[in-house]
Amino acid sequence: MNADLPHDLSPWGMFLAADIVVQTVMLGLLFAALLTWIVCLAKGWELAVARRQTRRALTNLRRAARLDDAGDDDGGPLHLFCATARHERDHAADLAPDGIKERVAASLGRVEAALGRRINRGTGVLASIGATAPFVGLFGTVWGIMNSFIGISQARTTNLAVVAPGIAEALLATALGLFAAIPAVIIYNALARGIADYRALLADTATAVLNLLGRDLDRNRP
């Protein structure tokens, strides 16, 4: 009976022995797992840099006495917020200060939303992988078990040597589905918390810019 048992039940051996559909499912899940870690590293680095820039911008704004004293960060959040406020201030110097502050507040809100959308790009793929990978793995499992039953029917036997390979391949597809889904969900939740913190920093930065602008307008008020 031992001679009839499959000679290789290692993950690689099961992959090679699997049906083409199950192989496709396994390759897709492995690609999804690789993509998860690529997104994790790329977005994690981008988010860390963005939060550091925004914290530095907020510190500079809180130390500044005037909007023009806030400095610049070469295209970072400080530059975008301050440039937006200065543009409206300089082009509406002869208008009512309250109107200037309202328009600047609206413009800063759009800048804040744009920065939030930019940092959020790419995280949706993690949510998709976390939601669909288990079901894709389950599809591979069902297909592999179905092939096992077909093999049993054709061989007219319930010998373990006939049943074991197909079931093992099916379970490997399920394992790969979980291998892709679990890190994707954990990483997505971690990034979501980091992005929420970054959005809060952006809101604080916009408020600081608006406060500086309001002080400048009050100083210049007749």
Side-chain angles (χ1 to χ4, degrees):
M1 181 176 178
N2 292 336
D4 297 330
L5 289 174
H7 66 280
D8 188 3
L9 283 179
S10 66
W12 178 246
M14 288 187 289
F15 171 79
L16 293 178
D19 180 82
I20 184 63
V21 175
V22 181
Q23 286 183 341
T24 303
V25 168
M26 291 180 182
L27 289 175
L29 292 172
L30 287 174
F31 175 76
L34 178 62
L35 184 61
T36 294
W37 289 106
I38 292 175
V39 172
C40 174
L41 295 175
K43 298 304 295 185
W45 174 258
E46 181 184 0
L47 182 59
V49 171
R51 290 168 68 178
R52 184 168 60 251
Q53 285 183 333
T54 308
R55 287 194 183 98
R56 188 182 303 120
L58 188 57
T59 300
N60 291 339
L61 289 169
R62 288 172 174 170
R63 291 175 178 174
R66 295 177 177 273
L67 184 60
D68 292 332
D69 299 335
D72 202 344
D73 57 356
D74 298 328
L78 181 61
H79 170 78
L80 294 175
F81 283 120
C82 290
T84 300
R86 290 166 184 157
H87 179 271
E88 180 59 31
R89 179 198 64 186
D90 296 341
H91 285 75
D94 56 338
L95 301 179
D98 291 340
I100 295 176
K101 286 190 286 187
E102 289 179 3
R103 287 188 292 275
V104 170
S107 299
L108 293 179
R110 300 313 305 159
V111 173
E112 180 184 338
L115 290 173
R117 287 194 301 270
R118 186 170 68 182
I119 201 65
N120 200 49
R121 282 199 305 254
T123 59
V125 67
L126 297 178
S128 298
I129 291 173
T132 60
F135 297 101
V136 175
L138 181 61
F139 169 75
T141 299
V142 172
W143 190 273
I145 292 176
M146 181 181 66
N147 286 338
S148 296
F149 285 141
I150 293 174
I152 292 172
S153 175
Q154 292 175 346
R156 299 182 182 277
T157 179
T158 57
N159 192 316
L160 182 62
V162 176
V163 179
I167 294 178
E169 297 155 13
L171 294 176
L172 180 61
T174 300
L176 289 176
L178 297 176
F179 176 75
I182 293 174
V185 172
I186 294 173
I187 294 169
Y188 176 80
N189 290 334
L191 289 177
R193 290 191 296 270
I195 290 173
D197 180 63
Y198 173 66
R199 287 179 180 271
L201 289 173
L202 290 177
D204 292 341
T205 304
T207 301
V209 170
L210 196 59
N211 289 339
L212 283 178
L213 175 66
R215 294 191 195 109
D216 290 346
L217 293 177
D218 289 341
R219 290 189 186 99
N220 298 329
R221 190 189 298 269

